[in-house]
Amino acid sequence: MSNARVNILFVCLGNICRSPTAHGVFIKKLQDAELSDLIHVDSCGTGSWHVGAEPDQRTQAAAMARGYDLSDLRARKFEDQDFGQYDYILAMDVRNLADVIKDAPYDYDGKLQLFLDYSDVEHLSEVPDPYYGGRDGFDRVLSLIESASEGLVKHLQQDLIGETA
Ligand code: 4NP
């Protein structure tokens, strides 16, 4: 159990492409904003095929090219206990979100939403699954995730300032 003020969980299907990218990018954005001590971050997948695996090599290469090292991350599956620990459960696409919502306790009072709700990218609500596509897809994932991460940091800054005001 973390002692952080806010606990955030990123969710995709395999936890080897999109959610580890969000995990690594968001941690870097928190460091830049000096919020790391207040916020705990993790990521997971709704599927179990890749449990224990490091992020996909294409994901790691695309992230490293922008300065994010994802090599320490290991895939895990979403668990029902996550509802008890996480204040924000942020899904990459509608299918991931529906898979989490179907198991949510009726009294879960955290936020269950799409990560791109925090992005300023218009006309796009999901981070597309890059697994079966080309290299461009991994770059696109990074750009979308950088945008949503910046939006989420701003949102949390407002929330935390509001709490202490
Ligand atoms: P992710 O991508 O959900 O962004 O980690 C995928 C990884 C693996 C598979 C699908 C999507 N898969 O079918 O194994």
Side-chain angles (χ1 to χ4, degrees):
M1 196 72 165
S2 102
N3 290 320
R5 295 262 294 281
V6 183
N7 293 281
I8 296 177
L9 182 63
F10 295 111
V11 185
C12 65
L13 180 61
N15 194 209
I16 56 167
C17 298
R18 292 166 294 172
S19 61
T21 301
H23 190 159
V25 168
F26 192 63
I27 280 187
K28 175 74 167 48
K29 301 287 181 197
L30 287 176
Q31 286 165 353
D32 293 348
E34 300 185 352
L35 286 174
S36 310
D37 292 346
L38 298 177
I39 297 167
H40 168 73
V41 182
D42 198 9
S43 63
C44 65
T46 57
S48 55
W49 311 282
H50 302 283
V51 167
E54 62 183 90
D56 184 282
Q57 291 305 318
R58 299 163 296 174
T59 291
Q60 289 201 53
M64 192 56 97
R66 295 196 197 186
Y68 308 106
D69 182 357
L70 308 183
S71 61
D72 285 342
L73 302 179
R74 295 294 177 269
R76 75 164 176 94
K77 190 175 185 296
F78 181 82
E79 301 171 344
D80 284 349
Q81 290 110 285
D82 289 322
F83 290 113
Q85 179 166 358
Y86 288 93
D87 310 296
Y88 288 75
I89 299 177
L90 301 175
M92 298 300 134
D93 66 30
V94 169
R95 180 179 160 199
N96 311 145
L97 184 61
D99 280 341
V100 172
I101 286 175
K102 78 173 165 35
D103 294 329
Y106 73 94
D107 57 351
Y108 178 67
D109 64 357
K111 293 194 187 285
L112 261 176
Q113 58 190 145
L114 290 170
F115 185 32
L116 286 197
D117 289 354
Y118 293 95
S119 147
D120 59 8
V121 175
E122 288 181 15
H123 313 302
L124 197 63
S125 56
E126 304 179 285
V127 182
D129 184 347
Y131 191 67
Y132 292 107
R135 201 172 140 182
D136 284 5
F138 291 85
D139 262 344
R140 176 105 174 105
V141 163
L142 264 163
S143 297
L144 293 170
I145 283 174
E146 283 180 327
S147 163
S149 296
E150 285 159 17
L152 181 55
V153 165
K154 281 189 201 145
H155 167 83
L156 292 167
Q157 281 169 328
Q158 294 297 322
D159 245 28
L160 291 166
I161 289 166
E163 260 182 41
T164 52

